[in-house]
Amino acid sequence: MSTTRKRTAAAETPTAATASLLPGLSETESRIYHSVFDSVMNQRIAPGTKLPEQALCELFSVNRATVRKVLQRLAHDHIVDLRPNRGAVVAAPTPEETRQIFQARRLLEAAIVPLVAQRITKAEILLLRKQLRDEHAALHRADQPAWARLASTFHLRLAELSGNAVLHGYLHELVSRCSLIVALYEPPGNAACEHDEHARIVDYLENGEPAKAVRVMNEHLLDLERRICLDKPQAEKSLAQMLGLG
């Protein structure tokens, strides 16, 4: 499947925009959240794009209180920035912020993987293998938002298996920020490589080779960072078009 076709299929696939409710959000609020989230993950919304409250109210036929609640949740998840007297814009991490975020994540995951190797059971290995099969299925049906969520879940699952709740909490924030950067700036067509790297990490954990698993994880995150292209031209589109509503 070509890159263009993958992106188009991903944009047209019913994903989280019609999925279950988010904790603390109503059905309508969840629908608006997922509309913005999936549009960012499909690269329809550019970094720095303004998300005016009034425009969102009109597009979704809701009041300002509803829109503000959704924007606050998106800001909490690092998808948008809320700026005093300027409103909400899609987050646009700088090159230095990107470097620091990925550096912190590499150091954190290098600490997590050996802890996982000490504790992981055969049953947990089987669950990770199922996770990899789900990733593979999402990849081959060109469901980019679903694949992105599954790929992030793989890393967070490892953090859970480490048995260290503090590390898991820190990684959750870093994964959220990395996912945004990748969605906004990574050229398409690299998912298969990333899926293979996840599989190699599980292989080394199963074989009791934590040092090799750490090495692959580090290479995996370095490769992900190298593929980031922070200077991407964006086409002129209306907010409705970017949200897939027009």
Side-chain angles (χ1 to χ4, degrees):
M1 180 180 291
S2 69
T3 294
T4 301
R5 189 175 169 191
K6 280 187 178 182
R7 284 292 176 192
T8 302
E12 294 174 349
T13 301
T15 57
T18 56
S20 58
L21 304 184
L22 287 167
L25 296 185
S26 69
E27 181 178 354
T28 297
E29 291 161 351
S30 294
R31 178 170 60 87
I32 299 169
Y33 178 100
H34 287 309
S35 181
V36 176
F37 178 88
D38 286 358
S39 295
V40 170
M41 290 298 170
N42 277 297
Q43 299 186 350
R44 293 197 301 267
I45 298 185
T49 298
K50 293 182 180 179
L51 300 174
E53 288 184 5
Q54 185 57 41
L56 292 172
C57 289
E58 294 171 1
L59 286 171
F60 292 99
S61 300
V62 295
N63 57 34
R64 283 184 179 269
T66 296
V67 166
R68 285 172 181 167
K69 185 174 180 180
V70 174
L71 291 175
Q72 287 169 355
R73 178 63 174 269
L74 287 163
H76 177 269
D77 293 342
H78 303 284
I79 305 302
V80 306
D81 290 330
L82 296 179
R83 301 176 180 179
N85 303 318
R86 295 177 60 188
V89 298
V90 176
T94 66
E96 179 59 19
E97 286 172 331
T98 297
R99 186 191 68 79
Q100 291 182 8
I101 289 168
F102 274 92
Q103 181 184 57
R105 182 170 172 183
R106 287 196 305 275
L107 292 170
L108 196 61
E109 298 218 43
I112 286 170
V113 170
L115 294 177
V116 176
Q118 294 172 13
R119 298 166 52 92
I120 198 163
T121 66
K122 291 183 178 179
E124 289 164 344
I125 288 288
L126 290 176
L127 289 174
L128 288 176
R129 295 286 185 198
K130 181 184 182 302
Q131 166 83 23
L132 295 177
R133 290 194 296 273
D134 291 343
E135 282 185 24
H136 191 264
L139 171 66
H140 282 272
R141 67 174 181 263
D143 191 342
Q144 182 69 13
W147 182 86
R149 285 190 293 274
L150 286 165
S152 296
T153 299
F154 173 82
H155 291 268
L156 293 173
R157 179 59 182 149
L158 290 182
E160 288 178 1
L161 293 173
S162 75
N164 189 311
V166 175
L167 290 177
H168 178 262
Y170 285 138
L171 186 65
H172 191 281
E173 177 177 348
L174 288 172
V175 165
S176 176
R177 300 183 73 175
C178 286
S179 295
L180 172 68
I181 293 168
V182 169
L184 291 173
Y185 297 113
E186 183 190 34
N190 294 300
C193 176
E194 191 161 322
H195 172 80
D196 290 345
E197 290 165 350
H198 286 180
R200 289 172 61 203
I201 290 166
V202 175
D203 288 342
Y204 286 132
L205 288 173
E206 184 174 25
N207 295 334
E209 300 178 283
K212 291 182 179 180
V214 169
R215 176 176 54 79
V216 173
M217 179 68 80
N218 190 62
E219 291 172 353
H220 166 48
L221 295 174
L222 281 171
D223 286 344
L224 192 59
E225 183 179 3
R226 292 189 191 106
R227 293 197 298 265
I228 301 302
C229 179
L230 294 173
D231 185 21
K232 289 178 54 179
Q234 298 290 339
E236 291 289 334
K237 292 183 179 180
S238 70
L239 181 59
Q241 289 172 321
M242 288 187 283
L243 290 171
L245 302 174

